[in-house]
Every structure is written in structure tokens, then in C-alpha cells.
Amino acid sequence: MSANGGTKAIVAALLANVGIAVTKFIAFLLSGSSSMLAEAVHSVADSGNQGLLLLGGKRAKRAATPEHPFGYGRERYIYAFIVSIVLFSIGGLFALYEAYHKWQDPHGIKSWHWLPVVVLVVAIVLESFSFRTAIKESNHTRGNQSWVRFIRRAKAPELPVVLLEDFGALVGLVFALFGVTMTLITGNGEWDAAGTAMIGILLVVIAVVLAIETKSLLLGEGAEASELAAIERAVTDGPEVEQIIHMKTLYLGPEELMVAAKIAVPEWESAHDLARGINAVEARIRAAVPIARVIYLEPDVYSVAAAKAGTGAAADTAVPQAGGASGEATGRAGG
């Protein structure tokens, strides 16, 4: 994901939510609709979340330090996780509390009856523009992936977060419009409470999905299968490496991948020639996968007998693993 694309989607969502939050609060104060209050708080939470994403993106650009030698790229994941907590607590739980409170006192809308409807319709239009921007920016990097896979596998958290927030905002507005309209038609405030409860459940579900996906990023994810295959080809596509003994990858941030591998090399006449060969392999890896910016290659002399016996330099990887590009690399290396 391009950083500019993510920032554009975040700013579009932020501007929409700030304006919508103000109009929703006005509509709530004039009409007393609990659905409007839940939606107003939802918009405030979303606005704060977009601010957190912008802050996380800025802080992630700090240069590496001795204390954090791999930089601060993962800070974007931390702020995305905080977003899920804010959405769950301020958005979802508040809406459920408000629904319970309104259900205990289900009064109808007594004044400015159609103002909430007008505000909600305008909000739907504004949120649609924000959602369209998020979709457009996501399509630049989504490729042929389904939307579910894109949200689950994206290494940059900003666009999936904005997509889910905007989607939740649109569906929540429809729920609010349903509750308000039915309350106006029937005069029964329980419909308003029902719409508020649906908004709360929706936000809690979205928050849980965001928390699960961001947790995976925080724990550390490796390269995609296509990236692994490209790295393996780059490593073995030359005379410098006989085979890969074992390899591990890790995303240090959305746009920085670390590659660490033990490689079997032929006998070199000098350390200078060995170093030059390793440099050539690193250059091929960076050409194949540009985000592979941190590369550690450990040369070794591979022994088939040692691998079969479970001893020697390749002993810890002597058993081939089935499945995946990394498993294939391990198998080719004897473990």
C-alpha cells in the first residue's frame, strides 16, 4: 500500500466524520433520538480513530535507534489495535448501553420529527463518498484478492481499518434510519432502541475483527507465498548458492521485510569472493522483492550425510516440512 493512498483515505474519512458528528449531535439535542446519539458518538469515535491512524503513520517514520534498531514501522500496528479498542468501548458498548437505557424509557420523538431522517440521509451520502475513496485507494494494492482476503492479509493496517469503519458507518446509518423511521411511524420508542442496539452489535463485531487481524500483525507475520517464492528464486538463481538450508521472513513494518537464511555455498577460494557472492544474492533478492530491505545470509557447507544423520550445521532443519513456499525451500535443503 502506498502511504499517500492510505493517508488520502484516512483524511477523507476524518473530514466526513467530523462534519457528520456535529450534525448528528444537533439532531439528537433537538429530537432526543437515541439512535442519533449512538451514531453521533460513533462518528466521534471514528474521527478519533482516524486521528490515531495519522499519528501512528507519522511516528512510524522515525529513524532507527540503538534501542529500536529495526525502526518504528510496527507502531502503525499498535495504533490500529488501539483503534479497535476505541471502536469497541466508545462506539459499541456506549451504543448498547444507550439502547438499554432507551428500552427502559421508550419515549417517541416529540419534536423536530423529521430532522433525524434528513441528517441520516445526508450522512449516508457523505459516508458513501468516504467509502468510495477507501475502495478506490484499496484497489491500487488489492489486485485480484477478494475483499475478505485483502482485509485479512494486508500488511498495511490503515486501508482495512478505514474500509471496515466506513462500511460499519454506512450500515449503522441504515440501522439508525430504520429505528428513527419506525419510531416516527408507530410513535413507539422501542424501535429507536432496537436501531441503537443493532448499531452497538455491529460496532462490537467490527472491533473484534479489527482486533484479531491487528493482533496477528503485532505478533509478526512472514512474507506471502508469492513473496517467498520470489525470494527463493532470487537466492538460488545463480552460482553463488547451491540450495537454501532454511529461511525465515518477518515484516518489520508494512513496507519493510526482513529475510534471514542459512544457505549452502560451494567452496570459495577466498573470503572476498564469498562476500561478493553474498552481495550478489542480496541484490537479486531486493530486485525481486523491493520491500526486503533487511537481509541476513549465513553461508554454510551443506552435508547430505549430516542432514540425514541429524547432526552438523543443517541438523535443525533436516526434516522437510510439507506445504508452502518455505516448506519447499526447506525440503530442497534437506530440512
Side-chain angles (χ1 to χ4, degrees):
M1 181 203 82
S2 69
N4 289 337
T7 301
K8 182 177 180 180
I10 295 170
V11 171
L14 176 61
L15 294 176
N17 280 312
V18 169
I20 292 171
V22 173
T23 56
K24 287 177 182 176
F25 271 119
I26 294 174
F28 160 70
L29 293 173
L30 294 175
S31 67
S33 168
S34 66
S35 292
M36 291 305 306
L37 177 58
E39 273 299 303
V41 173
H42 177 192
S43 294
V44 171
D46 282 352
S47 299
N49 288 341
Q50 275 107 47
L52 286 171
L53 291 176
L54 290 173
L55 178 61
K58 182 178 180 180
R59 291 181 62 83
K61 294 178 181 178
R62 289 178 294 167
T65 63
E67 186 178 5
H68 298 93
F70 291 109
Y72 293 84
R74 280 188 165 186
E75 195 146 1
R76 288 163 69 177
Y77 301 153
I78 295 173
Y79 279 88
F81 188 77
I82 295 174
V83 163
S84 68
I85 297 173
V86 171
L87 196 63
F88 179 84
S89 57
I90 298 180
L93 294 185
F94 178 83
L96 291 174
Y97 167 79
E98 182 62 23
Y100 172 79
H101 179 71
K102 185 61 178 282
W103 192 268
Q104 300 299 311
D105 181 22
H107 58 273
I109 299 175
K110 299 178 180 179
S111 61
W112 296 83
H113 298 79
W114 295 103
L115 178 61
V117 175
V118 173
V119 170
L120 289 171
V121 170
V122 173
I124 288 173
V125 174
L126 294 176
E127 284 288 359
S128 297
F129 282 113
S130 174
F131 192 38
R132 188 178 118 183
T133 301
I135 291 175
K136 181 179 178 181
E137 296 302 327
S138 298
N139 281 333
H140 294 324
T141 55
R142 183 171 67 94
N144 296 323
Q145 299 180 87
S146 66
W147 284 108
V148 172
R149 180 170 176 78
F150 172 71
I151 290 172
R152 295 198 61 185
R153 301 304 301 167
K155 297 301 186 289
E158 290 85 0
L159 282 177
V161 169
V162 173
L163 277 169
L164 285 174
E165 282 191 344
D166 284 352
F167 173 76
L170 279 173
V171 176
L173 287 167
V174 173
F175 288 162
L177 186 61
F178 168 77
V180 168
T181 302
M182 292 302 297
T183 299
L184 289 172
I185 293 173
T186 65
N188 186 352
E190 290 181 351
W191 287 106
D192 197 15
T196 307
M198 289 190 292
I199 294 169
I201 294 171
L202 172 70
L203 294 181
V204 167
V205 170
I206 291 176
V208 170
V209 171
L210 280 177
I212 292 173
E213 298 307 324
T214 311
K215 171 195 166 188
S216 178
L217 293 170
L218 282 170
L219 288 175
E221 291 187 356
E224 296 287 338
S226 59
E227 295 170 329
L228 281 174
I231 293 170
E232 290 173 6
R233 287 194 299 269
V235 171
T236 57
D237 189 21
E240 302 88 358
V241 177
E242 293 178 341
Q243 57 185 327
I244 299 172
I245 298 174
H246 64 81
M247 180 173 70
K248 298 184 184 297
T249 61
L250 179 67
Y251 268 89
L252 301 176
E255 294 155 1
E256 187 172 29
L257 180 68
M258 181 176 71
V259 179
K262 178 176 282 191
I263 54 177
V265 298
E267 294 186 7
W268 294 86
E269 293 184 0
S270 68
H272 177 76
D273 291 336
L274 175 60
R276 188 167 55 185
I278 290 177
N279 288 338
V281 175
E282 291 181 353
R284 288 201 301 269
I285 293 174
R286 291 191 173 96
V289 182
I291 61 172
R293 299 175 184 173
V294 181
I295 302 174
Y296 299 107
L297 299 178
E298 179 184 352
D300 203 348
V301 177
Y302 184 74
S303 168
V304 176
K308 289 181 178 179
T311 61
D316 59 333
T317 55
V319 181
Q321 299 177 4
S326 59
E328 295 171 4
T330 304
R332 285 197 302 270

